Structures are given as C-alpha cells and as structure tokens.
Amino acid sequence: MGRKLQRYQGEGIGVTFEPARCIHAAECVRGLPDVFDPQRRPWVEPGRAANEAIADVVRRCPTGALTYELAEQAESEAAPPVNSVEVRPRGPLYVRGELELSLPDGRTLHERRMALCRCGVSENKPFCDNSHSRIEFGDAGACGENRLSSEGAESKTLRLRAAPGGPLLVNGPLEVSGAVGETQCGEKGALCRCGASQAKPYCDGSHRAIGFEVE
C-alpha cells in the first residue's frame, strides 16, 4: 500500500485510511473481515456491512489510521468521556480522547485515537511504527509510581507535545492505565518516549543521559 491517504466511499459513509499510522493491530480485520480484507483490492469495501457496524469497528482502531465520516452526522466520532493513555506491554502508548497533538512541523492534529512511540526508535515519531517489535522492546507496561500532577488542566482537551529530544508532555485530564489493570489519574505530566526511563511510562530525564535526539 502507498503512503498517501486512501479513501473508500460507501452509501452514507466514507472510510479513510492513513498507511503511515497503521501498525497492523488488525482490529478492523477481526471485526469485519468482509469489509476489511488486506488481500483484496480495494481492501476496504464499505458496502459489505451496515454503516453503524463499520463505524463501530473503525473506532476500535487504536492508532487512528482508520477514520470514518457519516453523511447524516456533522461530527462522526464523538470523543470518549475520559481521556486515556494505555501503556501497551512491550509496545506503544494507546491514547484516546479529545486529543490535540502538536507536531514539530507546526501542525496541530485534533483526533480521537493515536498510538505513540515509547521505545525511542520509531521512524515516524511521535507515532509508533512497530519498531518496538524489531528491537524487542522489553518493558512490560507497568505504571509504577504516579508522576502525574494535579495542578489544574487548561481545558478538557488532552494536549500532547513531543518535546524536542525529550518526553511527551501532556496537559489535560487523563487516566493512565498499566498492563495489570492499575489506573492513575492526573492533569499534567511527562511520558517517556526515549525508551530508557527507569520510571516508565513516565520520564525520569534519561533522554539526556543517552543523547536522545529527535525533532
């Protein structure tokens, strides 16, 4: 598949696919194999299922590579009631909510779902590109000590910014969940994205010690 956005139009629903964001979580294929079939061209055929069923499966995509638009709705995908960061074992951060991500090139993305790199070696930072599998990133995804502060968020939106050569800065109400079901709440913090922190998923300044250089 190419790297450009791909759009598939059905009756009353449009599905957009961004290949660069896909890490093959395969939620779409498992959910509606008649609609999403990577072995077929086109690989997405919205006419093979009801629009609401397609929308439900697209919302399961953890990376935001798949999005949808319904003709009868001004805003197709509502934000979840809680902004959340799920620390995936040996994998990325799955982020959901009312999200605002500031990119180094000056763009600001307003989205509901994304998968962000925490191993430090993705070639599509701040997004995950599955490099954690290649390097056998070993972090099990436990939360440890809560390093989120409750200083007062600026809004209900979860604002994220990848600090140049540093952590992922988060500002907004959020819940961070670990691999064994623990949940930590707060409003401001810094999440590790270099892969070296001893306080994962939080930053402990290790990016400076290892010379993490990006953006």
Side-chain angles (χ1 to χ4, degrees):
M1 297 180 188
R3 308 295 286 181
K4 295 182 179 180
L5 288 178
Q6 301 168 15
R7 183 170 175 81
Y8 305 91
Q9 187 62 47
E11 185 67 33
I13 190 170
V15 176
T16 299
F17 176 57
E18 185 176 354
R21 297 272 294 276
C22 181
I23 60 173
H24 308 293
E27 292 290 345
C28 56
V29 177
R30 286 192 293 268
L32 281 176
D34 286 345
V35 175
F36 301 95
D37 183 353
Q39 305 305 315
R40 184 184 62 211
R41 294 295 180 271
W43 81 280
V44 181
E45 293 189 6
R48 290 175 173 262
N51 291 349
E52 281 302 326
I54 295 172
D56 177 68
V57 167
V58 169
R59 287 192 293 267
R60 300 180 201 173
C61 172
T63 68
L66 285 171
T67 56
Y68 69 91
E69 294 178 359
L70 292 170
E72 67 272 17
Q73 295 183 13
E75 184 177 9
S76 293
E77 184 173 349
V82 176
N83 300 321
S84 64
V85 175
E86 178 187 355
V87 186
R88 296 292 296 173
R90 295 167 290 281
L93 300 171
Y94 282 174
V95 188
R96 290 178 177 268
E98 184 76 47
L99 310 177
E100 181 182 293
L101 175 64
S102 298
L103 297 175
D105 62 8
R107 289 182 298 149
T108 299
L109 303 183
H110 297 269
E111 301 195 5
R112 300 288 185 257
R113 297 167 280 116
M114 55 184 67
L116 301 179
C117 174
R118 72 184 187 97
C119 73
V121 300
S122 171
E123 295 183 1
N124 190 34
K125 295 183 187 72
F127 302 107
C128 171
D129 71 353
N130 264 343
S131 289
H132 55 270
S133 297
R134 173 174 56 82
I135 67 168
E136 298 183 350
F137 183 55
D139 183 70
C143 278
E145 179 186 355
N146 187 355
R147 296 198 175 195
L148 297 172
S149 69
S150 298
E151 299 176 8
E154 297 174 1
S155 72
K156 293 182 179 180
T157 299
L158 179 58
R159 295 189 169 94
L160 308 105
R161 181 174 69 86
L168 180 72
L169 304 177
V170 294
N171 187 317
L174 77 154
E175 292 183 353
V176 176
S177 60
V180 296
E182 70 274 35
T183 300
Q184 300 174 347
C185 300
E187 295 178 323
K188 290 185 180 180
L191 303 176
C192 175
R193 67 189 191 107
C194 72
S197 172
Q198 298 300 305
K200 296 183 188 72
Y202 304 106
C203 173
D204 68 355
S206 292
H207 55 275
R208 292 187 290 270
I210 67 171
F212 184 58
E213 295 182 3
V214 63
E215 289 107 42

